[in-house]
Each structure stands twice: as structure tokens, then as C-alpha cells.
Amino acid sequence: MTNAHHRRPVDLAKAYRLLNHGPTVLVSAAAGGRRNIMAAAWAMPLDFDPPKVAVVLDKSTYTRELLEASGEFVLQVPVRAQLDLCNALGSVSGRDAEALGDVDKFEAYGLATFAGSTTGAPLLEGCAAWLECRLLPEPPIQQRYDLFLGEVVAAQADARVFSEGRWHFDGQDALRTLHHVAGGHFLIDGDAADAQPLAPLRR
């Protein structure tokens, strides 16, 4: 599924809102003619200006190897229509040639991609948002905690569900974002509600 005509750039000052609701993300990276993509449940925004993100990547992951080699990566926000794909990308290693039939995950699962505006990592079609990131090297925390920091250098979102700095999923159930709990079980983003001003009780 391609949503090219729905993709719009996101102001970097509001890029944090693409992750602020805690979705599962897909992390892609490429280096030396190799590429990979994996699911990650632990990702979050860190700062506004310049925008920064954090993501946890285990030492065993192939994506981490490519990310460290290239110094860049992409966080993309998958959607309900990609539920089974998201689970598969988080369950099979890019190093498992036998499981993947001696091809990479993109070819094995027939994934359509497009080029980013700033990084060389592949961006997956059909997602709700994409954040291209430059690695902010912090070797001690990378080694000790598997925590990677990145500066968001470009961001895009599907305007059908994200515009004017806000998510809005009404009428777009297939584009609702995913929230991994455990063991292939996901929650789907639900209804939105706006808080009203609440005055403190007067004594």
C-alpha cells in the first residue's frame, strides 16, 4: 500500500508528537549495501529543538549493527493494516538467512519502500509517520543500556491521520497506530478526547 499522495512534511518542532502517544515503531537502517528493518516497542521523543528521540535496540539485532555503521536510522509508525507484518518484523532476525530464504526482510516480505529526504535508510510505505534520524553517538549508554539517541533531521506523516500537529483517526481505522504489549498482542489506538479547563477547589 502506498500513501505517497497523502504524505506531508512535519514541522520539526512538532515531530515529537508523532511518537508522543507511545506507538510501536519500525526501525530501519542501511550500510554497505545491506539494509534491515525491525520492530521496537521502546521508543520516545526527548526534545523539541532540535528534536531528539531515543530507541532501545538489543545488541543482537542486525538493525543495530547497520545503524552503528551508518550513523543514521529511520523510525516509522506502523498502522493497524500492518499488524501481522509488524509482528513478523519483530520476530525474525535479519541475520536468519534460512527463515528469510537468503534474502533481506524487504524482499522476503515484499515490502515497498521510498527514499528519505535526508538519510540513506529505506522508509517503509504504508506507515502513518516517518522520522529520519542522525545518530547522536553515546557509546557508554549504547553499550550499557542498549539505548540509542538520534536527532530528527526530517519528518513526514500521512495527512489523513496527522495534520496541524495532531493525530486524528476518525474514519481511518486501518491507519490507527499499534501499541505492543507482549507476545504478539497489540492494542490499537482508540478514540481521542480533549481535556477541559479545571479550576482548583477554593477553600
Side-chain angles (χ1 to χ4, degrees):
M1 178 177 76
T2 177
N3 50 1
H5 59 291
H6 295 290
R7 284 196 299 263
R8 301 289 184 277
V10 173
D11 179 18
L12 289 182
K14 291 190 170 77
Y16 74 95
R17 296 183 183 181
L18 299 174
L19 298 178
N20 220 27
H21 64 307
T24 295
V25 297
L26 296 173
V27 187
S28 59
R34 301 171 296 152
R35 59 185 183 166
N36 199 53
I37 186 167
M38 64 173 280
W42 296 343
M44 61 179 284
L46 285 181
D47 205 350
F48 304 102
D49 186 20
K52 300 181 189 70
V53 295
V55 62
V56 174
L57 302 171
D58 187 81
K59 291 176 179 63
S60 66
T61 62
Y62 187 40
T63 301
R64 174 173 171 162
E65 177 185 323
L66 299 178
L67 184 161
E68 290 180 312
S70 66
E72 57 188 28
F73 59 100
V74 174
L75 299 183
Q76 39 249 308
V77 180
V79 300
R80 183 176 192 157
Q82 297 169 313
L83 175 66
D84 294 340
L85 174 63
C86 188
N87 190 57
L89 295 177
S91 301
V92 178
S93 171
R95 289 194 180 94
D96 193 343
E98 183 176 345
L100 296 172
D102 292 319
V103 295
D104 68 25
K105 286 187 188 179
F106 295 91
E107 190 172 341
Y109 292 105
L111 305 184
T113 62
F114 64 99
S117 63
T118 306
T119 64
L123 281 68
L124 179 65
E125 287 282 11
C127 293
W130 304 262
L131 298 96
E132 296 181 65
C133 304
R134 179 177 55 83
L135 177 65
L136 299 173
E138 292 286 350
I141 65 169
Q142 290 167 199
Q143 287 303 311
R144 185 166 185 176
Y145 301 110
D146 297 331
L147 183 66
F148 287 78
L149 308 182
E151 179 182 342
V152 181
V153 292
Q156 299 179 61
D158 188 317
R160 291 173 292 179
V161 290
F162 187 90
S163 60
E164 298 179 5
R166 301 185 74 171
W167 288 103
H168 42 82
F169 295 105
D170 289 348
Q172 298 289 346
D173 285 347
L175 295 177
R176 290 182 183 272
T177 57
L178 305 173
H179 305 261
H180 186 251
V181 180
H185 181 67
F186 292 79
L187 300 178
I188 308 295
D189 208 296
D191 295 333
D194 291 320
Q196 301 301 312
L198 182 64
L201 297 175
R202 300 187 187 278
R203 298 189 184 272

